[in-house]
């Protein structure tokens, strides 16, 4: 027999993402990134505008993610929480978060090395396929 407390916890965790606001926010960031790729296509990729757009793409991702997280939080406070209630999940200990951050950083470094090797052998024409598969 299932524990009623665990059942309640799982049900409330499912409600957290039921409105789809996080997915809409992520889609908007990806749309902004797609627009920056189109802007790069319109501009001369080797020219000054190409360099500026290339440098601004990580800024678009970081700032866009920050802005959409604020918008999603505001949306949830006004729409989702009055309907489902606010749930505060227990935070993981700092050692666990540090371990996860180190694992994530190591994975990112490994993927960057693999990507460098793949683009060196297959050429840069493969990058849009890799980016699309990653997204």
């Amino acid at each position: 027999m299932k524990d009623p407390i665990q059942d309640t916890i799982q049900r409330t965790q499912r409600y957290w993402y039921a409105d789809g606001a996080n997915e809409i926010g992520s889609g908007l960031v990806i749309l902004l990134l797609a627009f920056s790729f189109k802007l790069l296509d319109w501009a001369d990729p080797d020219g000054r505008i190409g360099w500026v757009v290339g440098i601004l793409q990580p800024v678009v991702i970081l700032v866009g993610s920050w802005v959409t997280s604020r918008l999603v939080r505001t949306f949830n406070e006004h729409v989702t929480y009055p309907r489902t209630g606010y749930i505060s999940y227990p935070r993981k200990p700092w050692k666990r978060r540090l371990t996860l951050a180190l694992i994530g950083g190591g994975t990112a470094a490994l993927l960057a090395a693999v990507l460098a090797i793949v683009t060196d052998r297959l050429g840069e024409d493969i990058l849009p396929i890799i980016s699309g598969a990653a997204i």
Side-chain angles (χ1 to χ4, degrees):
M1 181 171 181
K2 273 188 123 174
D3 183 18
I5 294 174
Q6 289 299 325
D7 188 47
T8 303
I9 290 172
Q10 289 174 353
R11 189 173 355 117
T12 55
Q13 287 174 342
R14 284 191 301 267
Y15 288 154
W16 187 271
Y17 298 104
D19 58 3
N22 291 326
E23 290 80 5
I24 292 170
S26 299
L28 290 174
V29 171
I30 292 172
L31 187 64
L32 284 174
L33 189 60
F35 180 71
S36 72
F37 279 123
K38 189 60 180 171
L39 188 64
L40 186 61
D41 185 44
W42 286 334
D44 180 25
D46 297 327
R48 182 172 290 160
I49 294 175
W51 277 96
V52 170
V53 172
I55 291 171
L56 287 179
Q57 284 177 343
V59 174
V60 166
I61 293 172
L62 294 174
V63 172
S65 299
W66 182 77
V67 168
T68 56
S69 72
R70 298 287 176 160
L71 290 174
V72 166
R73 184 179 311 141
T74 303
F75 174 79
N76 284 340
E77 288 172 356
H78 290 90
V79 176
T80 304
Y81 299 152
R83 181 174 49 95
T84 63
Y86 178 75
I87 295 130
S88 177
Y89 298 111
R91 293 185 59 126
K92 292 185 167 90
W94 68 272
K95 288 183 182 181
R96 175 80 173 140
R97 289 187 302 200
L98 180 64
T99 303
L100 291 175
L102 290 174
I103 291 171
T107 304
L110 180 67
L111 287 175
V114 167
L115 185 63
I117 292 169
V118 166
T119 56
D120 186 44
R121 295 187 188 238
L122 298 178
E124 292 183 5
D125 294 339
I126 197 79
L127 285 178
I129 294 171
I130 294 171
S131 296
I135 290 176

